[in-house]
Amino acid sequence: MAEIIQKDGTWVFDGDRLRLTPGHDKNVSLLRKELGELTVPLEALAGVSFEQGKKNGRLRLRLRDGADPLLLAAAGRLAEPHDPYQLVVESDRYGVAEYLVDEVRNALLLEQVPGTPVDAFLLPGPAVPLSVSAGDGSASFDGDVVRLEWNWKTEDAKSASGTRQLAIGDVLGVEWQPAAGLENGYLRFTVRGAATKAPPKYDPNAVELWGFKKDPLMALVAAAVQARLPHPAAGPVAAPAPDAPSTPSRPSGDDHDALLRRLRELGELHRDGVLTEEEFTMAKQAILKRL
């Protein structure tokens, strides 16, 4: 067994799997703390390396493409502090880090683990239920339904559609993009029968992100959803048969009246010039879908 304990975290390799536990140091990112301990099977690994620096070194794991729903959802956009597959190593532990690298590499060679992509997830993704509030709303996921709720900072055209509840069977894809420079980020869901080209600011199936501390946590929601979608290597999602249409849940009487009121309010905002044609159409379609 090879083990290295640092303020940044602890990595333990037993020959079959690597157990990665984030540290409790104040510099450990919120995403890594919320993600918690990860168990990475040997067959999910494509390689491991150790880079020495003047003050600190860094251990890096490289996973096989498609093995981890978090890396798939993040699409290479996880900044270095948030990457759970890196570990900062203090200079007095360089020898231990190099020993761990040798042990993992030897195991990969012995078991003849290929570095090729996989066609199924080898890690389960973040635990559910989970809920994150950031940007102009909050996203919750219990394993079956994604729930999007809005706050006072949400554009009226988007909040007019009310709380969104997306059944996992209706979700075709999920994308997480962190804010970069002057460009805002987002968590966006592609939903069956509700395609939109509206920017995240107005998209009722997206949470807009502004680059604050909790933004990276939205990547956990994306990963948890991604883990329950068909693996990309399995091919495109088949459309439902024409004779077996999905049956959306019907709103209750009170909800129905509230949605009608929202429709009237949207019409007034549109007539007064508050909403553009695109904003009005998008919000109206969202409400009509719920009706």
Side-chain angles (χ1 to χ4, degrees):
M1 186 177 76
E3 179 182 61
I4 181 167
I5 303 173
Q6 295 288 273
K7 291 187 294 184
D8 194 39
T10 298
W11 285 16
V12 180
F13 180 60
D14 65 4
D16 294 317
R17 61 189 64 81
L18 262 165
R19 192 169 70 250
L20 316 178
T21 307
H24 299 289
D25 188 73
K26 64 180 181 180
N27 293 322
V28 177
S29 79
L30 188 58
L31 182 148
R32 289 178 58 206
K33 289 179 179 178
E34 288 292 325
L35 185 59
E37 184 176 285
L38 288 174
T39 299
V40 185
L42 186 65
E43 59 267 25
L45 293 177
V48 59
S49 63
F50 175 59
E51 303 162 5
Q52 294 189 15
K54 291 183 178 179
K55 291 186 177 180
N56 296 313
R58 191 174 293 270
L59 276 166
R60 299 179 191 268
L61 288 181
R62 186 165 56 88
L63 271 62
R64 297 170 67 186
D65 289 344
D68 180 23
L70 173 60
L71 295 185
L72 189 62
R77 303 185 187 105
L78 273 182
E80 203 167 70
H82 307 304
D83 188 342
Y85 302 113
Q86 298 188 29
L87 182 72
V88 176
V89 179
E90 297 164 24
S91 58
D92 63 345
R93 306 298 287 171
Y94 282 2
V96 178
E98 289 169 345
Y99 173 70
L100 185 141
V101 167
D102 287 342
E103 288 293 292
V104 174
R105 285 177 175 170
N106 289 338
L108 289 171
L109 287 171
L110 186 64
E111 297 298 327
Q112 297 184 341
V113 177
T116 53
V118 297
D119 57 6
F121 293 122
L122 301 180
L123 283 89
V128 294
L130 58 83
S131 181
V132 178
S133 295
D136 69 351
S138 64
S140 306
F141 182 53
D142 62 5
D144 296 311
V145 176
V146 176
R147 183 180 176 90
L148 302 178
E149 298 181 86
W150 314 116
N151 57 39
W152 65 273
K153 294 169 284 189
T154 310
E155 284 290 322
D156 290 343
K158 185 158 86 173
S159 62
S161 64
T163 298
R164 302 284 289 154
Q165 297 198 69
L166 311 175
I168 190 65
D170 291 330
V171 176
L172 301 179
V174 58
E175 182 183 6
W176 171 75
Q177 172 75 55
L182 298 177
E183 294 292 325
N184 291 339
Y186 55 83
L187 171 70
R188 190 202 298 270
F189 297 91
T190 303
V191 182
R192 193 188 310 275
T196 177
K197 294 182 179 180
K201 184 176 183 178
Y202 303 109
D203 187 349
N205 295 320
V207 178
E208 187 180 34
L209 305 173
W210 300 318
F212 296 135
K213 183 177 180 180
K214 289 189 176 181
D215 281 14
L217 296 181
M218 285 293 184
L220 298 183
V221 179
V225 172
Q226 184 72 69
R228 289 159 178 82
L229 297 179
H231 194 279
V237 180
D243 59 344
S246 60
T247 304
S249 59
R250 307 298 297 179
S252 66
D254 289 344
D255 288 343
H256 188 272
D257 291 341
L259 292 173
L260 289 176
R261 285 197 300 273
R262 287 193 184 115
L263 274 176
R264 288 194 292 270
E265 291 167 359
L266 283 174
E268 292 172 1
L269 290 170
H270 182 237
R271 284 193 297 273
D272 294 339
V274 176
L275 295 180
T276 66
E277 184 67 31
E278 181 185 16
E279 292 167 351
F280 171 69
T281 301
M282 181 194 65
K284 182 178 72 173
Q285 288 176 345
I287 293 176
L288 290 176
K289 187 175 185 294
R290 294 188 67 192
L291 286 169

